[in-house]
Each structure stands twice: as C-alpha cells, then as structure tokens.
Amino acid sequence: MDDTVVGSFTGKVALVTGASSGLGRAVAQALTDRGAQVFGVARDGDALRRTMIEIAGSDGAKRYAPADVASSVACTAAVDSCVSTLGGLDVLVNVAGAHTLRHSADVTDEDWARDLAVNLNGPFYLARAALPHLLARGGNIVNVASVAGLEGQAYSAGYCAAKHGLVGLTRAMALEFTGTSLRINAICPGGMMTPQVTNFAFPEGVDFELVMKSAAPRGLMEPGDVAKMVAFLASDDASAVHGAVYAVDNGKMA
Ligand SMILES: NC(=O)c1ccc[n+]([C@@H]2O[C@H](COP(=O)([O-])OP(=O)(O)OC[C@H]3O[C@@H](n4cnc5c(N)ncnc54)[C@H](O)[C@@H]3O)[C@@H](O)[C@H]2O)c1
C-alpha cells in the first residue's frame, strides 16, 4: 500500500468488473487500499467471492455479484445490487475482458460475438445502468481498453475491433456529458502478466514475430502498476481529466 494516497477514496463506492483476476483484482485492491468500498463483479462467482474476501475481509463476502457482462439484464442487476448494498455509486471501472486469438478465417460467429459482447457491449450496459447514480454523486467511469484499441493486433480481429470501439464509446460519452460533473476516461494497457496472457491458446501456424510486435517491448507489466493509473484517473486528483485515453504500456506506443 502507498501511504501517500490512503484515504483518497474514503466514503466512495467503486464497482469494478473483472475483479476476480488479473488487472480487475489489482484495481479492486488498489481502490480498497485507498479507502474505497469496492463492489466486485465477474463471471466466476467462487473465484470472485474468494478474491473479495481476501481484499476486504468479511465485508467482501457481501460486496460482489457474479454476472456475465454480455447480458444487459445482468449488468443492470449488478449495478442495482451494488447500490442497494453500499448506498450509491461513485466510480465504475470496466475491466472485464476476453480475447480470442485466432486466424480471421477461422473466427466463428460465436467468437466474434463474444469478443464484442464482453469487451464493448458490457462496458456500455454497465455505464448506462450506472449513469443516474454517478451523476447524482459527481462520479466517474474508467474503461480498460488496450493498446489493441489504438493499433492493430494480429490474430485478434474481434478483440481489436471491440477495444477500438471502447475507445470511441469513451470519447462519445465524454462529449455527451461535458456539461455535467461526470468524468469518463479510458486506459489502454500493453502486455500484463495476467491469466488472460498466460492462458493464451495460440492457433496453429501463427507468426510469433508478428505477435511479439504487438506485445511488450520492455517485458510484461505487473497488473498492480497499471492499477495505479486507474486509481489516479478515478480519484479527485484527476478532476481535470475527462474524455482522455491513456496508453499505459511501458513504451509500446512510443
Ligand atoms: N493482460 C494483458 O496483457 C492485457 C493487455 C491489454 C488489455 N488488457 C485488458 O485488461 C482487462 C483485464 O484483463 P486481465 O489480463 O486481467 O484478464 P484476466 O483473464 O486475468 O481477467 C479477466 C476478468 O474478466 C472477467 N470476465 C471475463 N469474461 C467475463 C464476462 N463475460 N462477464 C463478466 N466478467 C468476465 C473474468 O471473470 C476475470 O475476472 C481486459 O479488459 C483485457 O482485455 C489486458
């Protein structure tokens, strides 16, 4: 924990998707360390419950909702559950993501639909459900896109299209809410050492040099390092930051 920032989220409620693993877990930990009451959302209920208890102790057992962010009904229910459990919502962090690595010719309708549903539809459904609560408390949204939202990535057509879409969604909503206290920003991480990457199933015949071009020039980052940027953007220290899209990639886009 960084002692210089303790308390910057005291009294604030943050809903973090993808909180059971990787970057989402690191964000949930970083915001909890800084005084937030974090409500976790992810697909896998058991892992999520375990993680929330590890992060927030016995309180964590009440602060989570398993949900498939591909479903608008589940997203609305998750926001409702957060608000009824913790009394409101100040910060939404859309971290949950899925990445199909496949030759474009082999991508099935289901692959394509899943990449778009999890990485793009989910953040929109959650933002839409959270808006009245965030507007009521001068809150903010941080969307986790990817460097794949700023440039191409081989064998990742659906993921890349969805992450570019999430960058566009962030900018469009930021302009729409310019006249309000709501802030909306996005980060575009480069390669991180998380289960998403360690579990990659590479299709046969991939050009690894091409894959490495889309990866990390200085090695994979730790999710905790990227979570610090999310915590900054979600905090009042970033009060002048709205509609911004930041690469957090250890030099990938340089
Ligand atoms: N790992 C990287 O190198 C990297 C690079 C750039 C961007 N990202 C992005 O960072 C985010 C976090 O990735 P990670 O590496 O921590 O992955 P991860 O696989 O460790 O965690 C993914 C999380 O998303 C949740 N999730 C997946 N599908 C879901 C669904 N349908 N509904 C609800 N929750 C769902 C999982 O339960 C899990 O909590 C993702 O948006 C990912 O695209 C990751």
Side-chain angles (χ1 to χ4, degrees):
M1 183 163 48
D2 180 348
D3 290 342
T4 59
V5 288
V6 169
S8 57
F9 286 88
T10 300
K12 303 238 165 121
V13 174
L15 189 161
V16 179
T17 72
S20 66
S21 173
L23 178 61
R25 181 193 169 111
V27 168
Q29 182 74 64
L31 297 182
T32 301
D33 289 347
R34 288 158 174 75
Q37 292 182 285
V38 172
F39 190 90
V41 172
R43 200 183 29 192
D44 38 357
D46 289 346
L48 178 62
R49 180 186 160 80
R50 247 190 338 270
T51 305
M52 292 310 296
I53 290 171
E54 280 165 20
I55 289 175
S58 54
D59 286 341
K62 294 171 238 144
R63 296 183 191 163
Y64 77 97
D68 181 350
V69 300
S71 154
S72 68
V73 172
C75 288
T76 301
V79 170
D80 289 349
S81 172
C82 171
V83 170
S84 65
T85 305
L86 295 172
L89 183 58
D90 301 278
V91 175
L92 166 65
V93 191
N94 279 310
V95 189
H99 186 166
T100 306
L101 262 176
R102 196 148 294 176
H103 296 282
S104 290
D106 298 333
V107 169
T108 64
D109 290 359
E110 290 73 26
D111 294 333
W112 180 260
R114 186 175 52 252
D115 274 342
L116 288 166
V118 179
N119 296 301
L120 180 57
N121 297 356
F124 175 71
Y125 296 149
L126 283 151
R128 185 176 60 187
L131 275 172
H133 307 292
L134 297 173
L135 285 165
R137 288 166 59 146
N140 71 85
I141 299 173
V142 181
N143 289 323
V144 174
S146 166
V147 288
L150 301 172
E151 63 174 8
Q153 255 181 28
Y155 314 112
S156 303
Y159 181 74
C160 225
K163 293 296 193 181
H164 274 71
L166 186 53
V167 168
L169 165 66
T170 303
R171 290 181 168 141
M173 287 186 67
L175 277 179
E176 182 178 343
F177 289 96
T178 294
T180 76
S181 58
L182 180 72
R183 295 186 300 109
I184 307 179
N185 295 291
I187 64 157
C188 294
M192 288 177 287
M193 184 56 87
T194 68
Q196 181 177 100
V197 166
T198 50
N199 295 335
F200 268 152
F202 288 100
E204 259 183 54
V206 296
D207 175 344
F208 276 100
E209 214 171 298
L210 197 55
V211 172
M212 289 320 291
K213 264 196 200 158
S214 316
R218 297 170 75 190
L220 293 173
M221 298 178 291
E222 289 301 324
D225 291 333
V226 178
K228 288 182 208 162
M229 181 63 165
V230 174
F232 166 69
L233 288 174
S235 77
D236 292 342
D237 286 341
S239 58
V241 185
H242 177 53
V245 177
Y246 286 103
V248 185
D249 65 353
N250 227 345
K252 171 74 183 78
M253 298 296 296

